[in-house]
Amino acid sequence: MIRRMSKKHLLAGLAAAGVLGVGIAAPTVALADDKSPSPSASTSTDQGTDRQQQRADRQADFAEALAKELGVPADKVTAALEKLREQRQADRPERPSTEDRQAALKDRLDQAVKDGKLTQEQADAVLKAAEAGVFPGPGGHGHRGGDGRWGR
């Protein structure tokens, strides 16, 4: 029993390390090989679709390489990786809605006004900016999070 659990953990660890390695190495190699200028006229939707396809291709290549290394069928590795991905997604807490986050912000701002840390005008300005999507972060209007410099 202990040996079987160790193999599962080893396989999961190898899969996770491989996904991480491919996720880091593939974009680096792709950027190093790409000497052509990037098209500036393409839309973000096309880029998103291209990125999804590239990611799927990298994952398929990784699954095939891992299957070959472990001596198991590629479809078995792909199924195991998909199962791990689904488990990871299920373990993630659900993000609060934009409305819930804005309500929590309003509560914190009201408390700051009550405590004398902000004026009501300042709190109103912060709330208005948040509702307009001025602050970067998850769920902001048109924002994917961060300041737009990372994760391209």
Side-chain angles (χ1 to χ4, degrees), residues 84-139:
L84 291 171
R85 197 173 299 116
E86 288 171 4
Q87 287 174 346
R88 190 180 73 198
Q89 291 257 334
D91 290 343
R92 287 183 181 169
E94 189 174 321
R95 285 188 174 169
S97 69
T98 301
E99 294 80 19
D100 290 343
R101 286 192 308 274
Q102 287 180 348
L105 175 62
K106 183 169 179 5
D107 291 344
R108 290 192 312 268
L109 290 171
D110 289 344
Q111 187 62 47
V113 169
K114 185 177 176 182
D115 294 343
K117 295 179 181 179
L118 292 176
T119 66
Q120 186 60 52
E121 292 78 24
Q122 290 170 325
D124 291 343
V126 170
L127 192 58
K128 185 176 179 181
E131 289 171 351
V134 171
F135 300 119

Side-chain angles (χ1 to χ4, degrees), residues 18-67:
V19 170
L20 180 62
V22 169
I24 292 172
T28 305
V29 171
L31 286 174
D33 289 342
D34 187 16
K35 307 258 188 293
S36 63
S38 61
S40 59
S42 66
T43 64
S44 63
T45 306
D46 291 342
Q47 290 175 352
T49 304
D50 289 345
R51 286 182 184 171
Q52 289 174 345
Q53 183 60 46
Q54 289 172 349
R55 181 175 183 230
D57 292 344
R58 281 193 315 266
Q59 289 174 348
D61 291 344
F62 171 71
E64 288 178 29
L66 185 59

